[in-house]
Amino acid sequence: MNEEEVFYAMALTRLTGLSASQALLLYQQLGSGRAVYEHRNDIRDVLPECTPRLAEALLHWDDALQRAAAEMAFVNNHHIQALTPADDRYPVRLSECPDAPIVLYFKGTADLNHPHILNLVGTRHCTAYGKDLVCRFVSGLKELCPDVLVVSGLAYGIDICAHREALHNGYDTVGVLAHGLDTIYPSHHRETAASMVSHGGLLTEYMTQTEPLPNNFRQRNRIVAGMSDATIVVESAYKGGALITARIAQDYGRDVLAFPGAVGAPYSEGCNNLIRDSKAGLITSADDFVAAVGWQTAAQRKKSVADGIERTLFPDLTAEERQIVDLLQQTNDLQQNIISVKANIPIGQLTALLFQLEMKGVVKPLAGGTYHLIN
């Protein structure tokens, strides 16, 4: 990734008087942080709809550039990846969301465009019941789908339980933080966070020296939801951050599922309400989850390999269609946006190709915009 572009994208996020949504809109309309900077003096010529107040905000870059320079030095000194939507390492699922961050800071080894990503969220005050659900779910999922990236927020309760169970079962796991990568909050989770760096990673949109303020946690929930195929709520009170994540995931068109709890149990009330109001599917096990989202299990994958999916079965495929089939042979059950990136096929063209493959009985669509290669 071009460091100069990352630098100007960083600075764009620090301009005084510019909201996050305005910064993103400018970035998208002009195509890069550098382009926004280059048009700082004539922005209204390029974007006539730009308000006088916004144009004024774009005239003052000195402090933002200084802050970006300091952050760039920290990033380089600590082997952190600074990712913009133009970087193919940036989470593609998240980039499709209307409020995606312009810059993400990532320290870790995980593929943020992993074929299968889910997040487990819930109350900070989880009960023994909630911990047991996480333990049984993650271990059960490992048997069914050995290759999954588990995402959560590194908070107390369900979040840290999800991270630790993922590590225990050999999954990579990513924690989305509400502050910069110069600290870990809560500090009690430092040891787990250190393990995650080499078996997953830590991800944030915030620069260093950012305090973990309450609104930051609400903001980071959109990253948790947006980078995942599915959100699973394990335990939640009547109100809570997990319900915010679930609502955002639903708005993004992602799968939302919840474990039910005892009627009247305070930390199951949120989950029960989600299920009652048809805002989440009911699951009681990893088997339920896999069936709900249509992921291929290890047994199914083994059978597919044993049976073989030979090109001779599809003699009438075009070169582009064969390219998609070859990709799905390597890793079945991929989201459309992931196929687009890996096959380097524009999304509009890919939609037509997938439709033709579906009509030929070669693939079938699953929940969440995922496509499955039929045996």
Side-chain angles (χ1 to χ4, degrees), residues 207-344:
M207 288 186 176
T208 54
Q209 303 176 39
T210 300
E211 295 293 324
L213 301 175
N215 187 60
N216 293 1
F217 289 94
R218 290 189 287 271
Q219 286 292 100
R220 71 95 189 270
N221 289 345
R222 80 189 195 285
I223 299 176
V224 173
M227 68 180 291
S228 305
D229 300 309
T231 290
I232 301 174
V233 186
V234 180
E235 277 191 312
S236 175
Y238 177 72
K239 293 182 179 180
L243 299 184
I244 296 174
T245 305
R247 176 183 56 77
I248 295 171
Q250 188 177 48
D251 290 343
Y252 288 161
R254 308 297 162 80
D255 292 312
V256 180
L257 305 109
F259 282 96
V263 174
Y267 292 112
S268 290
E269 190 173 3
C271 291
N272 290 345
N273 289 347
L274 283 174
I275 296 166
R276 179 198 64 197
D277 297 337
S278 300
K279 294 180 179 178
L282 185 155
I283 59 171
T284 62
S285 65
D287 294 272
D288 289 350
F289 170 76
V290 171
V293 299
W295 284 0
Q296 188 181 40
T297 66
Q300 291 170 331
R301 188 173 294 110
K302 184 177 180 180
K303 183 178 184 298
S304 295
V305 172
D307 292 344
I309 306 174
E310 300 297 335
R311 288 187 179 182
T312 54
L313 295 177
F314 312 117
D316 60 339
L317 298 187
T318 66
E320 292 83 1
E321 290 170 344
R322 286 186 184 278
Q323 185 181 4
I324 297 169
V325 169
D326 288 344
L327 182 60
L328 290 173
Q329 281 184 283
Q330 298 171 26
T331 308
N332 209 350
D333 298 350
L334 290 177
Q335 278 201 324
Q336 183 173 342
N337 48 25
I338 302 297
I339 297 173
S340 176
V341 170
K342 291 185 178 292
N344 195 28

Side-chain angles (χ1 to χ4, degrees), residues 138-267:
V138 176
S139 62
L141 187 64
K142 183 66 176 182
E143 293 290 323
L144 296 171
C145 300
D147 196 18
V148 173
L149 179 62
V150 177
V151 176
S152 199
L154 203 71
Y156 288 111
I158 295 299
D159 285 21
I160 194 62
C161 186
H163 291 307
R164 288 170 177 165
E165 287 300 322
L167 292 170
H168 177 71
N169 284 275
Y171 277 145
D172 278 355
T173 181
V174 169
V176 183
L177 310 180
H179 51 77
L181 289 173
D182 55 335
T183 188
I184 292 296
Y185 178 86
S187 58
H188 289 88
H189 298 164
R190 287 184 184 276
E191 185 176 347
T192 301
S195 297
M196 291 166 62
V197 168
S198 55
H199 296 90
L202 303 174
L203 182 69
T204 183
E205 67 179 308
Y206 296 106
M207 288 186 176
T208 54
Q209 303 176 39
T210 300
E211 295 293 324
L213 301 175
N215 187 60
N216 293 1
F217 289 94
R218 290 189 287 271
Q219 286 292 100
R220 71 95 189 270
N221 289 345
R222 80 189 195 285
I223 299 176
V224 173
M227 68 180 291
S228 305
D229 300 309
T231 290
I232 301 174
V233 186
V234 180
E235 277 191 312
S236 175
Y238 177 72
K239 293 182 179 180
L243 299 184
I244 296 174
T245 305
R247 176 183 56 77
I248 295 171
Q250 188 177 48
D251 290 343
Y252 288 161
R254 308 297 162 80
D255 292 312
V256 180
L257 305 109
F259 282 96
V263 174
Y267 292 112

